[in-house]
Amino acid sequence: MSRYMSSRFDSLEAYVPGEQPQDMVYVKLNTNESPFPPAPAVLAALQGGEVERLNRYPDPEGRLLRERLAEMYGVEYENVFLANGSDELLSFAFLAFCDRTRPVAYPNISYGFYPVYANLYQIPYTEISLREGFVLDPKDYCGLGKNIVIANPNAPTGRAIPVSDIEEIVRTNLDHVVLVDEAYVDFGGKSCLPLIGKYDNLLVCQTFSKFRSLAGGRLGFALASRGLIEDLEKIKYSTNSYNINRLTTAAALATLDSNSYYVANSRKIQDNRTYTGEKLDALGFETLPSLANFIFTRCSWMEGGALYRALKAKGVLVRHWERAEIRDWCRVTIGTREEMDIFLDRVREIRKEAG
Ligand SMILES: *Cc1c(COP(=O)(O)O)cnc(C)c1O
């Protein structure tokens, strides 16, 4: 830190993204990207003239894309908000809805960006412990009197709670915003989107990064009541009015034209998730039930950090955290069948070498 940095960030710990090493080609199972490339229509769309228009700013309203998303999800245009990745969406939401008098709460084991934004904006936060087996008990959130953030399915556990539990939390916290981060909802989970017509305080966040193979394009979106969307717009126009670039818009529109391609990919990932879990069972692993494009798993014969390092040395990247509650565990993104077979082969080798 230089001596020019504001002292209000002295204790800020920045988010640490999963490693993106450039030194060699890894089987990359560490950042929950899709292993499948964007649909052919996306590549075609990028050659369709938007490159030539890059001298012009994009539409700050994002009208075309918002209209398409509204139509697809059966909501009004005014219920849709676009952001440069759902990370930006989370940033805007923390800034818009939370402050000293409106603190935020979320599970103790969840997406690592939540505490970073809380610290960045100096928002008091409560981390509510998950129950045995990393299970979220909705009772812990009912009538809480704070803003609430829940990833459903949760990361890094992959566990999901039913929409009825979400509704109970939303219904008992009408004076506060309940943000449901549905980054992984398209891998077998159920969206709480139908509730936005009923509850003004529900903010549903989704992303094109996982299911739609567009992590490099940076696009997230929110679906919520008009009021919440207007609030997010206010923050956006006070931060970066042109937050969605032309190329990403063109790519995203094309993904919406190729839905069946992405649905088929999701089915493959769900099959590979089941396959990998079963193979790991036979190798002495315990794997949590997952409705996401990753699994959270631990083995009886090696500590999580050691397994992560041994896999990396053999060219396979998974994600591991040193935090006490989860240090036994590794999060493994579900890739193609070929990638999962390489991962499983390396695990077998490591087990043999460990004796
Ligand atoms: C990946 C992820 C995001 C961020 O997605 P981007 O749209 O790529 O910024 C948000 N929330 C959770 C829980 C995630 O896992």
Side-chain angles (χ1 to χ4, degrees):
M1 203 175 343
S2 81
R3 65 196 171 94
Y4 305 105
M5 180 79 162
S6 165
S7 61
R8 73 182 187 282
F9 300 121
D10 282 355
S11 62
L12 178 65
E13 277 191 53
Y15 178 71
V16 182
E19 56 197 318
Q20 309 286 353
Q22 314 290 330
D23 60 326
M24 60 176 266
V25 180
Y26 287 92
V27 173
K28 210 171 160 301
L29 307 177
N30 69 326
T31 48
N32 296 346
E33 293 141 322
S34 174
F36 302 109
V42 173
L43 307 185
L46 289 173
Q47 280 148 21
E50 279 306 90
V51 173
E52 286 151 50
R53 285 186 279 275
L54 280 177
N55 57 316
R56 300 296 181 190
Y57 284 112
D59 171 18
E61 268 199 58
R63 185 160 278 282
L64 278 179
L65 194 46
R66 284 171 71 190
E67 280 170 0
R68 282 293 305 279
L69 286 168
E71 189 189 328
M72 189 164 135
Y73 289 103
V75 299
E76 299 297 318
Y77 176 79
E78 293 80 6
N79 299 123
V80 185
F81 178 81
L82 305 176
N84 193 301
S86 50
D87 288 338
E88 185 184 64
L89 181 52
L90 293 168
S91 168
F92 287 173
F94 273 71
L95 187 55
F97 305 117
C98 305
D99 60 30
R100 279 186 200 296
T101 65
R102 295 162 188 274
V104 66
Y106 46 80
N108 64 331
I109 308 294
S110 192
Y111 186 40
F113 236 127
Y114 306 151
V116 175
Y117 287 132
N119 281 316
L120 177 64
Y121 300 128
Q122 312 193 329
I123 300 157
Y125 59 91
T126 308
E127 298 192 340
I128 298 179
S129 288
L130 292 173
R131 305 297 183 102
E132 184 67 33
F134 306 109
V135 171
L136 187 150
D137 186 340
K139 284 199 282 306
D140 294 337
Y141 296 82
C142 288
L144 191 64
K146 293 180 163 82
N147 290 327
I148 292 167
V149 179
I150 290 174
N152 195 40
N154 195 16
T157 65
R159 280 192 179 277
I161 58 172
V163 171
S164 55
D165 284 359
I166 297 281
E167 177 161 20
E168 196 57 15
I169 294 168
V170 174
R171 190 181 63 75
T172 57
N173 287 284
L174 293 177
D175 291 334
H176 293 87
V177 175
V178 178
L179 187 163
V180 181
D181 183 344
E182 294 188 337
Y184 300 105
V185 77
D186 297 299
F187 300 99
K190 226 167 159 35
S191 177
C192 64
L193 170 66
L195 300 176
I196 68 165
K198 205 164 156 192
Y199 298 100
D200 285 347
N201 60 324
L202 172 62
L203 181 63
V204 180
C205 297
Q206 294 194 12
T207 176
F208 279 60
S209 292
K210 280 102 189 197
F211 169 72
R212 291 190 185 277
S213 294
L214 214 60
R218 313 306 301 126
L219 184 68
F221 60 100
L223 303 164
S225 60
R226 285 166 185 245
L228 292 186
I229 298 298
E230 275 172 23
D231 299 339
L232 291 169
E233 291 285 341
K234 187 168 184 172
I235 300 294
K236 168 190 136 163
Y237 282 106
S238 308
T239 307
N240 177 10
S241 348
Y242 303 112
N243 63 338
I244 313 298
N245 72 70
R246 284 181 176 274
L247 299 181
T248 293
T249 303
L253 285 167
T255 75
L256 301 179
D257 293 331
S258 310
N259 230 17
S260 55
Y261 169 80
Y262 294 103
V263 169
N265 287 347
S266 172
R267 215 165 284 137
K268 287 182 205 163
I269 288 172
Q270 292 175 58
D271 288 347
N272 293 346
R273 181 175 71 200
T274 307
Y275 170 83
T276 307
E278 286 170 2
K279 297 287 178 193
L280 286 174
D281 284 350
L283 291 167
F285 279 76
E286 173 192 358
T287 304
L288 295 184
S290 169
L291 284 177
N293 67 341
F294 58 84
I295 50 175
F296 206 44
T297 190
R298 69 173 168 186
C299 68
S300 51
W301 43 269
M302 191 177 255
E303 185 258 328
L307 179 64
Y308 153 76
R309 287 186 292 276
L311 281 166
K312 185 173 177 183
K314 290 178 181 290
V316 177
L317 286 181
V318 301
R319 193 96 200 255
H320 173 259
W321 290 268
E322 276 302 339
R323 293 182 58 167
E325 306 95 316
I326 54 172
R327 58 178 307 159
D328 291 348
W329 299 78
C330 284
R331 190 194 69 188
V332 183
T333 304
I334 302 299
T336 61
R337 181 61 64 98
E338 293 71 27
E339 288 175 319
M340 300 328 289
D341 279 331
I342 294 171
F343 161 73
L344 290 163
D345 279 345
R346 298 300 168 267
V347 170
R348 287 183 195 104
E349 288 169 22
I350 292 164
R351 188 161 88 138
K352 204 172 283 171
E353 287 158 16

